[in-house]
Amino acid sequence: MNKVAVVYWSGTGHTQAMAEAVAEAAGATLFTAADFDGSKMGDFDAVAFGCPSMGTEQLEESEFEPMFETCRASLNGKKIALFGSYGWGDGEWMRTWESDCQDAGAVLACDSVICQDEPDDDVLAACRALGEALK
């Protein structure tokens, strides 16, 4: 069984609910973005990152993005998964994020999970499946 981390930032609680579903299914250690950085990447076989879309469809800039930048050098060959919520737009931030991760050599374990606003039962089920994919 892989040792899995779930790292997230949430402003409204929507991405936190998604992170908790991922972590429960994966048997993962749950971290907020403020409690994680690139130095911890080597401690885990797989990492799920969760961040909502902010502003003009981008990652949250004050905590999450700086933390994620410290992890970028450790993404090569690392099994990861991405998830998050958004309030507007069409999910462009997730497509950009996936592309950035793949460019850094990350191995996407499964399709990313996104939802508009609060996650419903179907989204939470998709989050649990994402967690299972990281085991």
Side-chain angles (χ1 to χ4, degrees), residues 4-133:
V4 180
V6 176
V7 184
Y8 75 95
W9 185 91
S10 186
T12 62
H14 300 328
T15 301
Q16 181 179 348
M18 296 172 79
E20 290 168 353
V22 171
E24 182 182 338
T29 305
L30 191 62
F31 295 93
T32 63
D35 295 327
F36 196 84
D37 63 39
S39 69
K40 295 181 181 176
M41 289 289 287
D43 297 341
F44 297 94
D45 301 306
V47 181
F49 291 102
C51 186
S53 170
M54 304 293 287
T56 56
E57 293 216 47
Q58 61 197 38
L59 298 176
E60 191 276 327
E61 293 179 295
S62 65
E63 284 185 33
F64 190 88
E65 192 170 30
M67 175 280 303
F68 190 74
E69 284 303 313
T70 71
C71 298
R72 186 176 296 280
S74 302
L75 291 178
N76 191 29
K78 182 67 74 174
K79 185 177 183 181
I80 69 164
L82 306 175
F83 63 93
S85 62
Y86 64 100
W88 59 90
D90 69 352
E92 178 184 349
W93 106 99
M94 184 59 73
R95 293 189 298 275
T96 301
W97 193 14
E98 289 169 342
S99 178
D100 289 348
C101 289
Q102 289 170 323
D103 289 348
V107 177
L108 293 177
C110 59
D111 289 341
S112 300
V113 176
I114 64 173
C115 71
Q116 190 163 10
D117 299 320
E118 187 173 357
D120 61 16
D121 290 343
D122 290 343
V123 170
L124 294 175
C127 288
R128 287 189 284 277
L130 184 149
E132 289 286 336

